[in-house]
Amino acid sequence: MSKRLRSSEVCADCSGPDPSWASVNRGTFICDECCSVHRSLGRHISQVRHLKHTPWPPTLLQMVETLYNNGANSIWEHSLLDPTSIMSGRRKANPQDKVHPNKAEFIRAKYQMLAFVHRLPCRDDDSVTTKDLSKQLHSSVRTGNLETCLRLLSLGAQANFFHPEKGNTPLHVASKAGQILQAELLAVYGADPGTQDSSGKTPVDYARQGGHHELAERLVEIQYELTDRLAFYLCGRKPDHKNGQHFIIPQMADSSLDLSELAKAAKKKLQSLSNHLFEELAMDVYDEVDRRETDAVWLATQNHSTLVTETTVVPFLPVNPEYSSTRNQGRQKLARFNAHEFATLVIDILSDAKRRQQGSPLSSSKDNVELILKTISNQHSVESQDNDQPDYDSVASDEDTDPEATASKAHRQKSLDSDLSDGPVTVQEFLEVKNALVASEAKIQQLMKASRLEKQNSTPESDYDNTPNDRGLDDMGSSRKGRQRSSVWQGDSSGPDTAEPHAAPSPILPSTEDVIRKTEQITKNIQELLRAAQENKHDSYIPCSERIHVAVTEMAALFPKKPKSDMVKTSLRLLTSSAYRLQSECKKTLPGDPGPPTDIQLVTQQVIQCAYDIAKAAKQLVTITTKENNN
C-alpha cells in the first residue's frame, strides 16, 4: 500500500494538488480528473493505479515514486520546458481547465501522440537507432538511475533486447546487479523474466546466484502476474510461489454450468486455440479484470455529489490500434459479461493456462508445445495475428438469452458474418476516426490532383474484391459481412434493400470527388452531433440525426443499387443501417416516450457508437472508391 503522500506532490498533467492516482508506465502521479482521461486512452498508453486503495507490490510503488521524484514528467514534457523549442509556447493544462476538451487534448498530445518528447535526429535506418538505444539501456540498468532508462524506453529502446555480443537481455543485467527497481521498470515495458541468455539462464537464476532473494521472488511473481491477477480477482488469494504453488483455480459456488454439455464444448474450443491466440485471449481478459477493478475503486473514491458525466467510469476496454478490428471488438464485448459468465471464463482460462504451462496433453490435441505465459506487459510487443488463423469469440451475441448458450459462446471462434458495429465506442475513439478521416482526405486530394486528367478505370473486378484482409481496410473490419440489412437504402427508411432483385451487378463506382464531397458533409454533421453530446444538448440529437440521415442517403445514392464489389456492399450496409439506428436512438430523447424511463447516458453512448460507425463506413467508401478509380 502507498505511503502517505507529501503535500508538495502535484498532478503531473495539470499541477493540481494531492494527486491520488499513478500512471505506472509513465512514472507520474495524477489527479482524479486527469486519471479519467488516462483511463479512456487504454492500458497500452497509461496503466493507472490508485495510490491508496489499490494493492501494490512494494517495489513497484517504490519504482513509480522514484521516477516521479526524479523528474520523470520532464521526459513527457521535454519540449514544453525547453525555451529554444517551438513547442515551449504551448500552454500546459491547469487545475481550473475543463476536463473536456482542455485537459483531455493536452493529455492525449502528451502521452498518446508523444508530442513533447525529445526527438532524436532523423536517420535513414531506424533499426540502427533502436539498436543503439537498446544497447544504452542494456548498460544503464546496472545502475540505479531509473530516469535515464525511462528516457531511453520513451525513445524506443526495447526492454527485451537481446545483446548480440553479451548474449543476454537488460533484465539479466539488472538481476545480476540486484537492481530491483530497474527490473520493475523493465517488466512494465514488457521484459520477460523467463527469457534465457546464451548460457540457458534466466534473470531469476542470476538474482538467486547473486543472493538477491527479494528480487528473485519478485521476478517469479512478475512471471505469473497474469494468472495471479485473475485468481486474486475471483477469490482474493494468490498462489504461494515460494513453496512451488504457481496456480490457484477457484471453484464456482454454483457449478451447474460447468456440468452442462455446452459448457464442456466451450472449454474444448478454448483448449483447441493455438498458444498464440490463447495468450491473446488471456491478456484481453486480464485487461478487462483491470478495468472492472479500477472502476470499482473509482466509484468508491469519488465525491458523488459533484461527480460529472465527463469523468465517469470507463464502460469497456478502449481501442488499441496495434490490435486488429476483430480483436478490439472482442475486447469491448467482454464488458457485457455478467459476474457469473465472466467468472466462468476466468476459471476456464486459469485451468487451461495451468494445463498448457505444465505441458499436460489433451487426448484430442496433437499440439503439446509448452506455453510460457508472458506478463501482461508483453502486450506492447505482441505479434500481429496470422490472417489465416481463426479469432476467438469473446462474448455471446445479443440474441443469446439462455445462460448455458451464453457460456458456450464465450469461447467460440469469430463468425465471419458477425455484426460490424458491435461494441460501444467512446468520444475519444470517435475523434480518432474523425482525425484519420481528415488525414485520409488530404492524401486523396493529392491523388486526385495527380490523376484528374486520367480516364476513369471501369475494370469489372479490382484486387480489392479478392483481398478481404487488405491492411488499408483491416482496422475497419470491412472484410466481414454485417447481419443487419440496410433499412435506409436509397432513402427508404421502412424496409430492407430496395435494389431490383434481378438487376445485374454493376462495377461502375462514383467519382472520388463526389464521394469525398458527400463524406465531408457527413463528417460536418457528425461533428455537430458530437458537440451536442459533449455539451449535453440532448434536444439537438434529433435534428442532427436527420441531417446525417439526409447526407448518408445522398451518399448511398451515388453508388449503383447493386454494386459488384462485396466491399462496397458491406460498407454501404454499415453506413445506411447505422444512420437508421442513429435516428432510432435519438428519438428516445423525445419527452413522453412510452416504456421505461430513458437512461440519457446510455442513449448518448449509443448515439456516439452509431456516429462512429457512420464515419467508419464513409472512410471505407472513400478508400475503396479512390483505389478503384485510380487502377
Side-chain angles (χ1 to χ4, degrees):
M1 302 296 284
S2 171
K3 67 179 184 182
R4 189 171 185 82
L5 294 177
R6 296 184 296 274
S7 58
S8 60
E9 290 171 342
V10 298
C11 173
D13 298 333
C14 73
S15 303
D18 302 324
S20 53
W21 295 83
S23 174
V24 178
N25 56 323
R26 304 297 180 172
T28 57
F29 293 155
I30 51 178
C31 68
D32 277 6
E33 288 193 344
C34 290
C35 177
S36 70
V37 180
H38 278 248
R39 294 194 59 219
S40 71
L41 299 179
R43 293 189 74 254
H44 59 288
I45 301 294
S46 182
Q47 300 170 19
V48 299
R49 281 176 177 257
H50 196 278
L51 286 165
K52 295 179 180 177
H53 296 283
T54 301
W56 282 82
T59 50
L60 181 63
L61 177 59
Q62 189 181 347
M63 183 270 288
V64 178
E65 289 175 331
T66 302
L67 283 171
Y68 176 88
N69 292 329
N70 285 277
N73 196 41
S74 64
I75 294 172
W76 315 113
E77 296 183 357
H78 174 85
S79 58
L80 290 179
L81 305 171
D82 182 0
T84 65
S85 169
I86 58 172
M87 300 298 297
S88 60
R90 178 156 179 171
R91 184 179 72 83
K92 178 174 176 171
N94 64 50
Q96 289 73 40
D97 282 337
K98 291 183 177 179
V99 177
H100 297 286
N102 306 69
K103 289 183 178 180
E105 287 182 356
F106 175 76
I107 290 168
R108 283 196 294 269
K110 179 178 175 180
Y111 298 109
Q112 192 170 39
M113 309 306 296
L114 299 179
F116 316 125
V117 170
H118 174 63
R119 299 293 179 188
L120 294 174
C122 292
R123 295 175 59 167
D124 294 335
D125 188 354
D126 288 338
S127 64
V128 174
T129 301
T130 300
K131 186 175 181 180
D132 291 343
L133 288 167
S134 299
K135 284 187 174 181
Q136 291 181 46
L137 177 68
H138 191 278
S139 299
S140 299
V141 293
R142 71 180 74 252
T143 73
N145 196 331
L146 290 177
E147 194 261 351
T148 297
C149 293
L150 181 61
R151 189 180 301 278
L152 290 168
L153 290 164
S154 75
L155 294 171
Q158 300 299 302
N160 265 324
F161 173 72
F162 192 89
H163 199 296
E165 290 86 26
K166 307 289 186 182
N168 58 13
T169 69
L171 191 55
H172 284 97
V173 176
S175 300
K176 192 173 183 179
Q179 293 289 348
I180 192 168
L181 301 188
Q182 293 283 21
E184 291 281 6
L185 177 61
L186 290 169
V188 165
Y189 276 82
D192 182 3
T195 300
Q196 295 182 345
D197 66 2
S198 55
S199 302
K201 294 182 178 179
T202 68
V204 179
D205 294 330
Y206 281 105
R208 286 175 178 155
Q209 285 179 10
H212 310 301
H213 301 299
E214 181 186 9
L215 172 55
E217 291 170 5
R218 177 64 184 135
L219 287 172
V220 172
E221 288 180 1
I222 290 171
Q223 195 165 356
Y224 289 93
E225 178 186 353
L226 191 152
T227 48
D228 282 5
R229 180 77 178 271
L230 299 189
F232 190 82
Y233 170 74
L234 290 181
C235 65
R237 295 184 295 117
K238 290 185 178 181
D240 185 1
H241 296 293
K242 291 181 184 178
N243 293 317
Q245 181 197 25
H246 298 308
F247 292 93
I248 290 179
I249 314 296
Q251 299 297 315
M252 295 288 287
D254 175 12
S255 59
S256 57
L257 284 183
D258 296 332
L259 301 176
S260 72
E261 291 303 316
L262 287 172
K264 290 177 183 177
K267 288 181 181 180
K268 285 183 180 179
K269 290 188 176 183
L270 179 71
Q271 292 169 343
S272 69
L273 289 176
S274 68
N275 286 341
H276 174 69
L277 285 181
F278 176 77
E279 185 177 320
E280 285 190 349
L281 174 57
M283 291 196 296
D284 294 345
V285 171
Y286 176 104
D287 283 356
E288 175 64 14
V289 165
D290 181 82
R291 184 195 69 82
R292 293 186 182 210
E293 289 187 333
T294 308
D295 266 354
V297 173
W298 177 269
L299 289 170
T301 57
Q302 297 304 296
N303 180 350
H304 292 277
S305 63
T306 60
L307 188 63
V308 291
T309 57
E310 61 184 3
T311 58
T312 52
V313 298
V314 176
F316 48 83
L317 289 174
V319 167
N320 183 339
E322 294 182 15
Y323 296 160
S324 68
S325 173
T326 302
R327 184 175 178 187
N328 273 313
Q329 288 175 356
R331 285 165 57 85
Q332 290 185 344
K333 288 179 186 178
L334 289 172
R336 297 184 188 176
F337 276 78
N338 63 33
H340 193 288
E341 294 164 349
F342 191 59
T344 302
L345 174 59
V346 170
I347 290 172
D348 286 352
I349 287 176
L350 284 170
S351 301
D352 211 50
K354 180 179 181 180
R355 177 189 67 79
R356 291 171 186 248
Q357 191 169 60
Q358 294 180 348
S360 303
L362 283 172
S363 57
S364 60
S365 174
K366 296 180 181 178
D367 180 13
N368 295 327
V369 179
E370 181 179 0
L371 170 67
I372 304 299
L373 271 177
K374 299 179 178 67
T375 67
I376 191 63
S377 305
N378 278 347
Q379 65 180 299
H380 297 291
S381 58
V382 169
E383 297 176 359
S384 60
Q385 178 179 311
D386 294 336
N387 287 334
D388 60 347
Q389 285 186 312
D391 207 336
Y392 57 83
D393 187 0
S394 54
V395 76
S397 67
D398 291 337
E399 291 83 9
D400 294 323
T401 54
D402 176 26
E404 292 186 351
T406 300
S408 172
K409 286 194 175 182
H411 313 309
R412 187 170 297 169
Q413 294 174 348
K414 271 288 181 186
S415 170
L416 291 178
D417 62 353
S418 61
D419 194 350
L420 278 165
S421 58
D422 282 346
V425 175
T426 60
V427 174
Q428 164 61 16
E429 290 159 23
F430 173 79
L431 287 171
E432 288 172 2
V433 170
K434 186 193 75 176
N435 292 337
L437 181 61
V438 171
S440 173
E441 287 168 1
K443 292 178 183 177
I444 290 165
Q445 293 286 0
Q446 293 175 348
L447 283 172
M448 286 196 308
K449 288 179 183 177
S451 61
R452 187 156 290 171
L453 299 178
E454 294 182 9
K455 204 175 202 179
Q456 179 170 324
N457 188 335
S458 58
T459 306
E461 282 287 344
S462 76
D463 289 341
Y464 248 97
D465 294 319
N466 300 318
T467 53
N469 290 318
D470 190 290
R471 286 189 64 81
L473 292 175
D474 182 57
D475 61 330
M476 305 302 171
S478 60
S479 62
R480 291 157 43 235
K481 296 179 181 179
R483 282 193 303 262
Q484 218 167 6
R485 300 280 293 175
S486 167
S487 301
V488 289
W489 192 268
Q490 305 294 342
D492 181 359
S493 60
S494 59
D497 288 3
T498 57
E500 295 88 351
H502 303 296
S506 171
I508 306 300
L509 294 179
S511 70
T512 307
E513 293 93 332
D514 287 344
V515 175
I516 289 177
R517 194 177 305 114
K518 294 300 181 185
T519 299
E520 288 174 344
Q521 185 62 46
I522 290 172
T523 304
K524 180 180 177 183
N525 292 329
I526 287 177
Q527 288 171 333
E528 184 181 352
L529 175 66
L530 182 63
R531 281 194 294 271
Q534 290 176 320
E535 296 169 6
N536 294 322
K537 295 180 179 178
H538 308 129
D539 54 349
S540 299
Y541 284 7
I542 291 179
C544 284
S545 70
E546 293 291 344
R547 285 189 286 273
I548 291 172
H549 177 265
V550 169
V552 164
T553 303
E554 290 176 352
M555 182 165 179
L558 295 175
F559 290 82
K561 291 186 177 181
K562 219 168 167 54
K564 191 174 182 68
S565 166
D566 286 339
M567 288 292 189
V568 174
K569 290 178 189 174
T570 302
S571 299
L572 283 170
R573 281 175 182 155
L574 177 60
L575 181 78
T576 54
S577 63
S578 299
Y580 178 71
R581 284 171 40 234
L582 176 65
Q583 283 191 300
S584 299
E585 290 296 332
C586 289
K587 286 176 182 176
K588 294 178 182 178
T589 62
L590 286 172
D593 189 45
T598 300
D599 183 341
I600 197 65
Q601 289 187 27
L602 180 60
V603 170
T604 296
Q605 184 62 59
Q606 293 301 318
V607 164
I608 293 171
Q609 167 69 50
C610 295
Y612 173 90
D613 288 336
I614 293 168
K616 192 165 61 171
K619 182 185 173 185
Q620 290 173 17
L621 291 168
V622 169
T623 306
I624 296 170
T625 307
T626 302
K627 182 166 183 176
E628 293 275 5
N629 289 338
N630 283 284
N631 276 346

